Amino acid sequence: MNVQEAVKPRDKDESQSERFDRIYSTLRDRICLLAYRPGTILSEVVLAEEFGISRTPIKRVFNKLEFMGLVQIKNGVGTIVTDIDLLTFKETYDLRKRLAAMMGELSPVEITPAHLARIDRILAETEMLRTDRGNFDALAFVANDLQQLLLDLTGNTPLREVTELLYYRVARIWYTFLPQFGWDIVYEGQLKEVRDIRAAMVVNDILGVGQVRSVDLQRMMTLLGRTMVDA
Amino acid sequence: MNVQEAVKPRDKDESQSERFDRIYSTLRDRICLLAYRPGTILSEVVLAEEFGISRTPIKRVFNKLEFMGLVQIKNGVGTIVTDIDLLTFKETYDLRKRLAAMMGELSPVEITPAHLARIDRILAETEMLRTDRGNFDALAFVANDLQQLLLDLTGNTPLREVTELLYYRVARIWYTFLPQFGWDIVYEGQLKEVRDIRAAMVVNDILGVGQVRSVDLQRMMTLLGRTMVDA
DNA sequence: GTGCACTAATCTGTATACAGCTTGATCTTA
DNA sequence: TAAGATCAAGCTGTATACAGATTAGTGCAC
């Protein structure tokens, strides 16, 4: 589970594009799971040595990470893991909330047994975490699985791409807020969301799935707003 | 007006990032205004010679163009100006229609006299084209100005970014359809849209602006669907 | 002490030679 | 003749040395 150790010995048969994908995924996960926290300066040279390659392909990966909004490349300074200002954060959640509601409206997909199996597993994993108080990392992992499932239930391709883009931009920032909300509120909220989404899925109500997600994103914003006022 | 001649002699005081932006904008416009038609293979070497630089910065520009969905980089083959399949095209317009309606709902901006001056100029330019039958290129230029104005009226930053991304992906494909729709339908449709948007703007009805745009995107889809059935 | 110019360190950007990938033409062979 | 192997051409990807950009520290002038 430790993303820092995700670098396997080089496979001699690995093609250039496969290696690129592997390194990109590795660095993206490190950023999204906060192994590289916002503000961290990433070094092309250090990473090139870690992966046993030159700076060139690392630069390509950095470029893609910048497009995804995960790092900012500053000439003469370095490549910095992005933070996000509160206004942009709120605006992004506003938009994500609207997009979630569209999931079932634009090019809806049929819910298959495979999809149901996945939500069942996600629900089971969530329930197992009930007694694991304070394990926000594990909760974030499950939330990530849920997001992947919802992406697969999004039939409209551009909508799926945009949803994914916005998710990766802000999800990790959201994770940093979790501890101050307290375990009970966070856990019960996520458990309820998974149950509601599952309930909508079993009756093939893809529109309802999107609405549950939309309501939950609204709940997150409300939670955040309340905390900000308290502080 | 000829984008092919947009390459000015190098300014000695131009910084690296300014040069990057200039080359990116130049190639983006060539693609979006169909100087490079879908399927065209772009050569790093040729473009590097044209701009008097090496392949390296051209590769960076290609990377950004690929992220924007304007080209596809294929190792060992070349960098190809993307075409778009009809399903993705329709899905993109579905999404754009919904996003347009959100423009005035999420973080609405105040309409300033500067904005009004711009829509007045756009309206004037559109009216001047009435007798210029068949000049679809000029009409596309004005439509591009209108799009820029609408982007500036979008207060929600992520929404603006996503709207811009989707616009650049499909607008040029739309242009290729215009001639077969006929001048009158295209021209009158665009003129009406500009007038309706202006009417909403003068009463500071940003919500109405978004709705006009949304309706117009629906009109485009309907027009396309009718033509496809006829063919 | 304070402000400014300069320098050094360190980062990303660029140029260029070479390696890897893909495709189509050509040659070989059944 | 036709199927398959081989090769050459042309493209992008990579490695590496060097240039440009930024920043922090240093020392000088005031």
Side-chain angles (χ1 to χ4, degrees), chain B residues 122-154:
Chain B
I122 289 171
L123 178 56
E125 285 173 359
T126 306
E127 287 175 334
M128 279 200 305
L129 288 174
R130 176 182 293 279
T131 57
D132 202 359
R133 295 181 65 83
N135 193 351
F136 290 102
D137 287 349
L139 212 55
F141 262 91
V142 178
N144 191 66
D145 288 342
L146 179 63
Q147 172 68 24
Q148 294 304 325
L149 174 59
L150 292 178
L151 285 176
D152 290 340
L153 290 177
T154 304

PDB file of all heavy atoms in Angstrom, chain B residues 122-154:
ATOM      1  N   ILE B 122     -19.117  43.141 -31.665  1.00  0.00           N
ATOM      2  CA  ILE B 122     -19.388  41.829 -32.265  1.00  0.00           C
ATOM      3  C   ILE B 122     -20.680  41.878 -33.083  1.00  0.00           C
ATOM      4  O   ILE B 122     -20.747  41.342 -34.197  1.00  0.00           O
ATOM      5  CB  ILE B 122     -19.475  40.748 -31.159  1.00  0.00           C
ATOM      6  CG1 ILE B 122     -18.083  40.487 -30.581  1.00  0.00           C
ATOM      7  CG2 ILE B 122     -20.088  39.464 -31.698  1.00  0.00           C
ATOM      8  CD1 ILE B 122     -18.092  39.612 -29.341  1.00  0.00           C
ATOM      9  N   LEU B 123     -21.687  42.548 -32.531  1.00  0.00           N
ATOM     10  CA  LEU B 123     -22.955  42.673 -33.263  1.00  0.00           C
ATOM     11  C   LEU B 123     -22.753  43.450 -34.565  1.00  0.00           C
ATOM     12  O   LEU B 123     -23.262  43.048 -35.625  1.00  0.00           O
ATOM     13  CB  LEU B 123     -24.003  43.363 -32.382  1.00  0.00           C
ATOM     14  CG  LEU B 123     -25.374  43.597 -33.043  1.00  0.00           C
ATOM     15  CD1 LEU B 123     -25.965  42.290 -33.554  1.00  0.00           C
ATOM     16  CD2 LEU B 123     -26.336  44.270 -32.061  1.00  0.00           C
ATOM     17  N   ALA B 124     -21.998  44.536 -34.477  1.00  0.00           N
ATOM     18  CA  ALA B 124     -21.750  45.351 -35.672  1.00  0.00           C
ATOM     19  C   ALA B 124     -21.023  44.543 -36.740  1.00  0.00           C
ATOM     20  O   ALA B 124     -21.384  44.575 -37.921  1.00  0.00           O
ATOM     21  CB  ALA B 124     -20.930  46.594 -35.284  1.00  0.00           C
ATOM     22  N   GLU B 125     -20.015  43.783 -36.293  1.00  0.00           N
ATOM     23  CA  GLU B 125     -19.253  42.988 -37.252  1.00  0.00           C
ATOM     24  C   GLU B 125     -20.119  41.905 -37.890  1.00  0.00           C
ATOM     25  O   GLU B 125     -19.980  41.593 -39.071  1.00  0.00           O
ATOM     26  CB  GLU B 125     -18.044  42.346 -36.555  1.00  0.00           C
ATOM     27  CG  GLU B 125     -16.918  43.340 -36.273  1.00  0.00           C
ATOM     28  CD  GLU B 125     -15.803  42.724 -35.442  1.00  0.00           C
ATOM     29  OE1 GLU B 125     -15.924  41.541 -35.081  1.00  0.00           O
ATOM     30  OE2 GLU B 125     -14.833  43.437 -35.151  1.00  0.00           O
ATOM     31  N   THR B 126     -21.009  41.346 -37.075  1.00  0.00           N
ATOM     32  CA  THR B 126     -21.903  40.315 -37.607  1.00  0.00           C
ATOM     33  C   THR B 126     -22.837  40.913 -38.661  1.00  0.00           C
ATOM     34  O   THR B 126     -23.024  40.334 -39.736  1.00  0.00           O
ATOM     35  CB  THR B 126     -22.733  39.696 -36.467  1.00  0.00           C
ATOM     36  OG1 THR B 126     -21.858  39.237 -35.440  1.00  0.00           O
ATOM     37  CG2 THR B 126     -23.570  38.531 -36.981  1.00  0.00           C
ATOM     38  N   GLU B 127     -23.381  42.080 -38.360  1.00  0.00           N
ATOM     39  CA  GLU B 127     -24.317  42.709 -39.304  1.00  0.00           C
ATOM     40  C   GLU B 127     -23.628  43.086 -40.606  1.00  0.00           C
ATOM     41  O   GLU B 127     -24.237  43.037 -41.673  1.00  0.00           O
ATOM     42  CB  GLU B 127     -24.969  43.933 -38.650  1.00  0.00           C
ATOM     43  CG  GLU B 127     -25.998  43.545 -37.587  1.00  0.00           C
ATOM     44  CD  GLU B 127     -26.570  44.732 -36.842  1.00  0.00           C
ATOM     45  OE1 GLU B 127     -25.877  45.769 -36.762  1.00  0.00           O
ATOM     46  OE2 GLU B 127     -27.705  44.609 -36.326  1.00  0.00           O
ATOM     47  N   MET B 128     -22.360  43.455 -40.493  1.00  0.00           N
ATOM     48  CA  MET B 128     -21.613  43.818 -41.701  1.00  0.00           C
ATOM     49  C   MET B 128     -21.441  42.628 -42.635  1.00  0.00           C
ATOM     50  O   MET B 128     -21.212  42.797 -43.830  1.00  0.00           O
ATOM     51  CB  MET B 128     -20.234  44.370 -41.319  1.00  0.00           C
ATOM     52  CG  MET B 128     -20.251  45.828 -40.891  1.00  0.00           C
ATOM     53  SD  MET B 128     -18.605  46.569 -41.023  1.00  0.00           S
ATOM     54  CE  MET B 128     -17.628  45.456 -40.035  1.00  0.00           C
ATOM     55  N   LEU B 129     -21.523  41.430 -42.076  1.00  0.00           N
ATOM     56  CA  LEU B 129     -21.294  40.228 -42.889  1.00  0.00           C
ATOM     57  C   LEU B 129     -22.543  39.778 -43.641  1.00  0.00           C
ATOM     58  O   LEU B 129     -22.484  38.814 -44.412  1.00  0.00           O
ATOM     59  CB  LEU B 129     -20.793  39.079 -41.991  1.00  0.00           C
ATOM     60  CG  LEU B 129     -19.370  39.214 -41.477  1.00  0.00           C
ATOM     61  CD1 LEU B 129     -19.051  38.105 -40.497  1.00  0.00           C
ATOM     62  CD2 LEU B 129     -18.377  39.200 -42.634  1.00  0.00           C
ATOM     63  N   ARG B 130     -23.667  40.485 -43.416  1.00  0.00           N
ATOM     64  CA  ARG B 130     -24.941  40.044 -44.014  1.00  0.00           C
ATOM     65  C   ARG B 130     -24.819  39.868 -45.533  1.00  0.00           C
ATOM     66  O   ARG B 130     -25.268  38.863 -46.099  1.00  0.00           O
ATOM     67  CB  ARG B 130     -26.045  41.059 -43.709  1.00  0.00           C
ATOM     68  CG  ARG B 130     -27.378  40.722 -44.378  1.00  0.00           C
ATOM     69  CD  ARG B 130     -28.420  41.768 -44.105  1.00  0.00           C
ATOM     70  NE  ARG B 130     -28.821  41.819 -42.704  1.00  0.00           N
ATOM     71  CZ  ARG B 130     -29.696  40.985 -42.128  1.00  0.00           C
ATOM     72  NH1 ARG B 130     -30.240  40.015 -42.854  1.00  0.00           N
ATOM     73  NH2 ARG B 130     -30.017  41.120 -40.869  1.00  0.00           N
ATOM     74  N   THR B 131     -24.192  40.830 -46.167  1.00  0.00           N
ATOM     75  CA  THR B 131     -24.114  40.793 -47.628  1.00  0.00           C
ATOM     76  C   THR B 131     -22.902  40.017 -48.124  1.00  0.00           C
ATOM     77  O   THR B 131     -22.700  39.869 -49.321  1.00  0.00           O
ATOM     78  CB  THR B 131     -24.032  42.225 -48.184  1.00  0.00           C
ATOM     79  OG1 THR B 131     -22.897  42.871 -47.586  1.00  0.00           O
ATOM     80  CG2 THR B 131     -25.303  42.992 -47.855  1.00  0.00           C
ATOM     81  N   ASP B 132     -22.099  39.532 -47.187  1.00  0.00           N
ATOM     82  CA  ASP B 132     -20.864  38.822 -47.553  1.00  0.00           C
ATOM     83  C   ASP B 132     -21.145  37.321 -47.618  1.00  0.00           C
ATOM     84  O   ASP B 132     -20.452  36.515 -46.997  1.00  0.00           O
ATOM     85  CB  ASP B 132     -19.776  39.136 -46.521  1.00  0.00           C
ATOM     86  CG  ASP B 132     -18.381  38.898 -47.096  1.00  0.00           C
ATOM     87  OD1 ASP B 132     -18.300  38.471 -48.267  1.00  0.00           O
ATOM     88  OD2 ASP B 132     -17.410  39.127 -46.370  1.00  0.00           O
ATOM     89  N   ARG B 133     -22.132  36.993 -48.422  1.00  0.00           N
ATOM     90  CA  ARG B 133     -22.629  35.615 -48.466  1.00  0.00           C
ATOM     91  C   ARG B 133     -21.508  34.601 -48.726  1.00  0.00           C
ATOM     92  O   ARG B 133     -20.697  34.785 -49.626  1.00  0.00           O
ATOM     93  CB  ARG B 133     -23.684  35.473 -49.564  1.00  0.00           C
ATOM     94  CG  ARG B 133     -24.938  36.283 -49.311  1.00  0.00           C
ATOM     95  CD  ARG B 133     -25.932  36.065 -50.427  1.00  0.00           C
ATOM     96  NE  ARG B 133     -26.405  34.672 -50.467  1.00  0.00           N
ATOM     97  CZ  ARG B 133     -27.374  34.212 -49.701  1.00  0.00           C
ATOM     98  NH1 ARG B 133     -27.984  35.002 -48.846  1.00  0.00           N
ATOM     99  NH2 ARG B 133     -27.742  32.947 -49.779  1.00  0.00           N
ATOM    100  N   GLY B 134     -21.507  33.526 -47.936  1.00  0.00           N
ATOM    101  CA  GLY B 134     -20.540  32.459 -48.157  1.00  0.00           C
ATOM    102  C   GLY B 134     -19.221  32.646 -47.455  1.00  0.00           C
ATOM    103  O   GLY B 134     -18.362  31.759 -47.478  1.00  0.00           O
ATOM    104  N   ASN B 135     -19.033  33.791 -46.778  1.00  0.00           N
ATOM    105  CA  ASN B 135     -17.774  34.021 -46.069  1.00  0.00           C
ATOM    106  C   ASN B 135     -17.847  33.385 -44.673  1.00  0.00           C
ATOM    107  O   ASN B 135     -17.892  34.076 -43.665  1.00  0.00           O
ATOM    108  CB  ASN B 135     -17.492  35.523 -45.986  1.00  0.00           C
ATOM    109  CG  ASN B 135     -16.060  35.802 -45.539  1.00  0.00           C
ATOM    110  OD1 ASN B 135     -15.338  34.879 -45.127  1.00  0.00           O
ATOM    111  ND2 ASN B 135     -15.649  37.047 -45.623  1.00  0.00           N
ATOM    112  N   PHE B 136     -17.826  32.065 -44.676  1.00  0.00           N
ATOM    113  CA  PHE B 136     -17.965  31.350 -43.407  1.00  0.00           C
ATOM    114  C   PHE B 136     -16.758  31.581 -42.496  1.00  0.00           C
ATOM    115  O   PHE B 136     -16.880  31.571 -41.273  1.00  0.00           O
ATOM    116  CB  PHE B 136     -18.146  29.842 -43.666  1.00  0.00           C
ATOM    117  CG  PHE B 136     -19.470  29.508 -44.287  1.00  0.00           C
ATOM    118  CD1 PHE B 136     -19.567  29.227 -45.646  1.00  0.00           C
ATOM    119  CD2 PHE B 136     -20.623  29.467 -43.521  1.00  0.00           C
ATOM    120  CE1 PHE B 136     -20.785  28.913 -46.219  1.00  0.00           C
ATOM    121  CE2 PHE B 136     -21.848  29.157 -44.087  1.00  0.00           C
ATOM    122  CZ  PHE B 136     -21.927  28.880 -45.445  1.00  0.00           C
ATOM    123  N   ASP B 137     -15.585  31.780 -43.106  1.00  0.00           N
ATOM    124  CA  ASP B 137     -14.396  32.022 -42.304  1.00  0.00           C
ATOM    125  C   ASP B 137     -14.558  33.267 -41.435  1.00  0.00           C
ATOM    126  O   ASP B 137     -14.241  33.264 -40.240  1.00  0.00           O
ATOM    127  CB  ASP B 137     -13.171  32.174 -43.216  1.00  0.00           C
ATOM    128  CG  ASP B 137     -12.742  30.831 -43.793  1.00  0.00           C
ATOM    129  OD1 ASP B 137     -13.269  29.802 -43.315  1.00  0.00           O
ATOM    130  OD2 ASP B 137     -11.907  30.817 -44.708  1.00  0.00           O
ATOM    131  N   ALA B 138     -15.060  34.338 -42.033  1.00  0.00           N
ATOM    132  CA  ALA B 138     -15.249  35.581 -41.286  1.00  0.00           C
ATOM    133  C   ALA B 138     -16.266  35.374 -40.170  1.00  0.00           C
ATOM    134  O   ALA B 138     -16.108  35.870 -39.050  1.00  0.00           O
ATOM    135  CB  ALA B 138     -15.707  36.697 -42.226  1.00  0.00           C
ATOM    136  N   LEU B 139     -17.308  34.633 -40.473  1.00  0.00           N
ATOM    137  CA  LEU B 139     -18.330  34.345 -39.477  1.00  0.00           C
ATOM    138  C   LEU B 139     -17.733  33.555 -38.308  1.00  0.00           C
ATOM    139  O   LEU B 139     -18.059  33.785 -37.136  1.00  0.00           O
ATOM    140  CB  LEU B 139     -19.471  33.552 -40.124  1.00  0.00           C
ATOM    141  CG  LEU B 139     -20.888  33.771 -39.577  1.00  0.00           C
ATOM    142  CD1 LEU B 139     -21.257  35.254 -39.609  1.00  0.00           C
ATOM    143  CD2 LEU B 139     -21.890  32.958 -40.357  1.00  0.00           C
ATOM    144  N   ALA B 140     -16.832  32.631 -38.636  1.00  0.00           N
ATOM    145  CA  ALA B 140     -16.176  31.829 -37.596  1.00  0.00           C
ATOM    146  C   ALA B 140     -15.297  32.711 -36.714  1.00  0.00           C
ATOM    147  O   ALA B 140     -15.252  32.536 -35.502  1.00  0.00           O
ATOM    148  CB  ALA B 140     -15.338  30.727 -38.240  1.00  0.00           C
ATOM    149  N   PHE B 141     -14.623  33.680 -37.341  1.00  0.00           N
ATOM    150  CA  PHE B 141     -13.809  34.613 -36.556  1.00  0.00           C
ATOM    151  C   PHE B 141     -14.663  35.359 -35.537  1.00  0.00           C
ATOM    152  O   PHE B 141     -14.289  35.486 -34.372  1.00  0.00           O
ATOM    153  CB  PHE B 141     -13.116  35.621 -37.489  1.00  0.00           C
ATOM    154  CG  PHE B 141     -11.704  35.265 -37.820  1.00  0.00           C
ATOM    155  CD1 PHE B 141     -11.412  34.501 -38.932  1.00  0.00           C
ATOM    156  CD2 PHE B 141     -10.670  35.682 -36.999  1.00  0.00           C
ATOM    157  CE1 PHE B 141     -10.104  34.164 -39.239  1.00  0.00           C
ATOM    158  CE2 PHE B 141      -9.355  35.345 -37.287  1.00  0.00           C
ATOM    159  CZ  PHE B 141      -9.076  34.585 -38.410  1.00  0.00           C
ATOM    160  N   VAL B 142     -15.809  35.852 -35.980  1.00  0.00           N
ATOM    161  CA  VAL B 142     -16.682  36.601 -35.071  1.00  0.00           C
ATOM    162  C   VAL B 142     -17.211  35.677 -33.978  1.00  0.00           C
ATOM    163  O   VAL B 142     -17.287  36.046 -32.801  1.00  0.00           O
ATOM    164  CB  VAL B 142     -17.844  37.248 -35.836  1.00  0.00           C
ATOM    165  CG1 VAL B 142     -18.767  37.990 -34.884  1.00  0.00           C
ATOM    166  CG2 VAL B 142     -17.312  38.197 -36.891  1.00  0.00           C
ATOM    167  N   ALA B 143     -17.563  34.452 -34.363  1.00  0.00           N
ATOM    168  CA  ALA B 143     -18.047  33.486 -33.379  1.00  0.00           C
ATOM    169  C   ALA B 143     -16.979  33.220 -32.328  1.00  0.00           C
ATOM    170  O   ALA B 143     -17.286  33.027 -31.142  1.00  0.00           O
ATOM    171  CB  ALA B 143     -18.446  32.186 -34.074  1.00  0.00           C
ATOM    172  N   ASN B 144     -15.729  33.227 -32.749  1.00  0.00           N
ATOM    173  CA  ASN B 144     -14.622  33.040 -31.819  1.00  0.00           C
ATOM    174  C   ASN B 144     -14.523  34.204 -30.828  1.00  0.00           C
ATOM    175  O   ASN B 144     -14.310  34.005 -29.628  1.00  0.00           O
ATOM    176  CB  ASN B 144     -13.315  32.893 -32.601  1.00  0.00           C
ATOM    177  CG  ASN B 144     -12.177  32.440 -31.707  1.00  0.00           C
ATOM    178  OD1 ASN B 144     -12.183  31.341 -31.184  1.00  0.00           O
ATOM    179  ND2 ASN B 144     -11.213  33.334 -31.516  1.00  0.00           N
ATOM    180  N   ASP B 145     -14.703  35.429 -31.344  1.00  0.00           N
ATOM    181  CA  ASP B 145     -14.706  36.596 -30.454  1.00  0.00           C
ATOM    182  C   ASP B 145     -15.838  36.483 -29.435  1.00  0.00           C
ATOM    183  O   ASP B 145     -15.661  36.799 -28.252  1.00  0.00           O
ATOM    184  CB  ASP B 145     -14.870  37.885 -31.277  1.00  0.00           C
ATOM    185  CG  ASP B 145     -13.613  38.227 -32.056  1.00  0.00           C
ATOM    186  OD1 ASP B 145     -12.544  37.690 -31.708  1.00  0.00           O
ATOM    187  OD2 ASP B 145     -13.710  39.012 -33.008  1.00  0.00           O
ATOM    188  N   LEU B 146     -16.990  36.048 -29.899  1.00  0.00           N
ATOM    189  CA  LEU B 146     -18.135  35.896 -29.004  1.00  0.00           C
ATOM    190  C   LEU B 146     -17.824  34.888 -27.898  1.00  0.00           C
ATOM    191  O   LEU B 146     -18.134  35.117 -26.721  1.00  0.00           O
ATOM    192  CB  LEU B 146     -19.367  35.442 -29.805  1.00  0.00           C
ATOM    193  CG  LEU B 146     -20.643  35.218 -28.994  1.00  0.00           C
ATOM    194  CD1 LEU B 146     -21.117  36.508 -28.347  1.00  0.00           C
ATOM    195  CD2 LEU B 146     -21.742  34.623 -29.875  1.00  0.00           C
ATOM    196  N   GLN B 147     -17.193  33.797 -28.287  1.00  0.00           N
ATOM    197  CA  GLN B 147     -16.829  32.777 -27.305  1.00  0.00           C
ATOM    198  C   GLN B 147     -15.897  33.353 -26.244  1.00  0.00           C
ATOM    199  O   GLN B 147     -16.053  33.103 -25.047  1.00  0.00           O
ATOM    200  CB  GLN B 147     -16.169  31.588 -28.006  1.00  0.00           C
ATOM    201  CG  GLN B 147     -15.581  30.554 -27.080  1.00  0.00           C
ATOM    202  CD  GLN B 147     -16.643  29.792 -26.294  1.00  0.00           C
ATOM    203  OE1 GLN B 147     -17.784  29.708 -26.715  1.00  0.00           O
ATOM    204  NE2 GLN B 147     -16.269  29.271 -25.134  1.00  0.00           N
ATOM    205  N   GLN B 148     -14.905  34.145 -26.687  1.00  0.00           N
ATOM    206  CA  GLN B 148     -13.971  34.762 -25.740  1.00  0.00           C
ATOM    207  C   GLN B 148     -14.710  35.667 -24.762  1.00  0.00           C
ATOM    208  O   GLN B 148     -14.409  35.688 -23.560  1.00  0.00           O
ATOM    209  CB  GLN B 148     -12.908  35.562 -26.499  1.00  0.00           C
ATOM    210  CG  GLN B 148     -11.971  34.715 -27.351  1.00  0.00           C
ATOM    211  CD  GLN B 148     -11.252  33.636 -26.565  1.00  0.00           C
ATOM    212  OE1 GLN B 148     -10.896  33.831 -25.408  1.00  0.00           O
ATOM    213  NE2 GLN B 148     -11.089  32.470 -27.165  1.00  0.00           N
ATOM    214  N   LEU B 149     -15.672  36.407 -25.261  1.00  0.00           N
ATOM    215  CA  LEU B 149     -16.453  37.296 -24.399  1.00  0.00           C
ATOM    216  C   LEU B 149     -17.220  36.494 -23.358  1.00  0.00           C
ATOM    217  O   LEU B 149     -17.241  36.841 -22.173  1.00  0.00           O
ATOM    218  CB  LEU B 149     -17.416  38.131 -25.243  1.00  0.00           C
ATOM    219  CG  LEU B 149     -18.406  39.019 -24.466  1.00  0.00           C
ATOM    220  CD1 LEU B 149     -17.671  40.001 -23.572  1.00  0.00           C
ATOM    221  CD2 LEU B 149     -19.335  39.755 -25.419  1.00  0.00           C
ATOM    222  N   LEU B 150     -17.837  35.417 -23.804  1.00  0.00           N
ATOM    223  CA  LEU B 150     -18.610  34.591 -22.888  1.00  0.00           C
ATOM    224  C   LEU B 150     -17.699  33.962 -21.821  1.00  0.00           C
ATOM    225  O   LEU B 150     -18.089  33.822 -20.664  1.00  0.00           O
ATOM    226  CB  LEU B 150     -19.362  33.502 -23.654  1.00  0.00           C
ATOM    227  CG  LEU B 150     -20.479  34.020 -24.558  1.00  0.00           C
ATOM    228  CD1 LEU B 150     -21.141  32.883 -25.315  1.00  0.00           C
ATOM    229  CD2 LEU B 150     -21.526  34.788 -23.748  1.00  0.00           C
ATOM    230  N   LEU B 151     -16.490  33.583 -22.228  1.00  0.00           N
ATOM    231  CA  LEU B 151     -15.542  33.046 -21.252  1.00  0.00           C
ATOM    232  C   LEU B 151     -15.224  34.092 -20.186  1.00  0.00           C
ATOM    233  O   LEU B 151     -15.160  33.784 -18.996  1.00  0.00           O
ATOM    234  CB  LEU B 151     -14.254  32.603 -21.954  1.00  0.00           C
ATOM    235  CG  LEU B 151     -14.322  31.297 -22.738  1.00  0.00           C
ATOM    236  CD1 LEU B 151     -12.999  31.040 -23.458  1.00  0.00           C
ATOM    237  CD2 LEU B 151     -14.664  30.126 -21.839  1.00  0.00           C
ATOM    238  N   ASP B 152     -15.063  35.345 -20.623  1.00  0.00           N
ATOM    239  CA  ASP B 152     -14.761  36.401 -19.662  1.00  0.00           C
ATOM    240  C   ASP B 152     -15.942  36.674 -18.745  1.00  0.00           C
ATOM    241  O   ASP B 152     -15.778  37.246 -17.662  1.00  0.00           O
ATOM    242  CB  ASP B 152     -14.369  37.689 -20.411  1.00  0.00           C
ATOM    243  CG  ASP B 152     -13.015  37.542 -21.088  1.00  0.00           C
ATOM    244  OD1 ASP B 152     -12.249  36.656 -20.679  1.00  0.00           O
ATOM    245  OD2 ASP B 152     -12.729  38.318 -22.018  1.00  0.00           O
ATOM    246  N   LEU B 153     -17.126  36.298 -19.159  1.00  0.00           N
ATOM    247  CA  LEU B 153     -18.318  36.497 -18.333  1.00  0.00           C
ATOM    248  C   LEU B 153     -18.567  35.294 -17.417  1.00  0.00           C
ATOM    249  O   LEU B 153     -19.556  35.260 -16.690  1.00  0.00           O
ATOM    250  CB  LEU B 153     -19.547  36.728 -19.212  1.00  0.00           C
ATOM    251  CG  LEU B 153     -19.589  38.067 -19.960  1.00  0.00           C
ATOM    252  CD1 LEU B 153     -20.810  38.137 -20.851  1.00  0.00           C
ATOM    253  CD2 LEU B 153     -19.597  39.225 -18.963  1.00  0.00           C
ATOM    254  N   THR B 154     -17.664  34.302 -17.488  1.00  0.00           N
ATOM    255  CA  THR B 154     -17.810  33.115 -16.644  1.00  0.00           C
ATOM    256  C   THR B 154     -16.986  33.299 -15.382  1.00  0.00           C
ATOM    257  O   THR B 154     -15.763  33.264 -15.420  1.00  0.00           O
ATOM    258  CB  THR B 154     -17.356  31.852 -17.404  1.00  0.00           C
ATOM    259  OG1 THR B 154     -18.098  31.753 -18.617  1.00  0.00           O
ATOM    260  CG2 THR B 154     -17.589  30.612 -16.562  1.00  0.00           C
TER     261      THR B 154
END
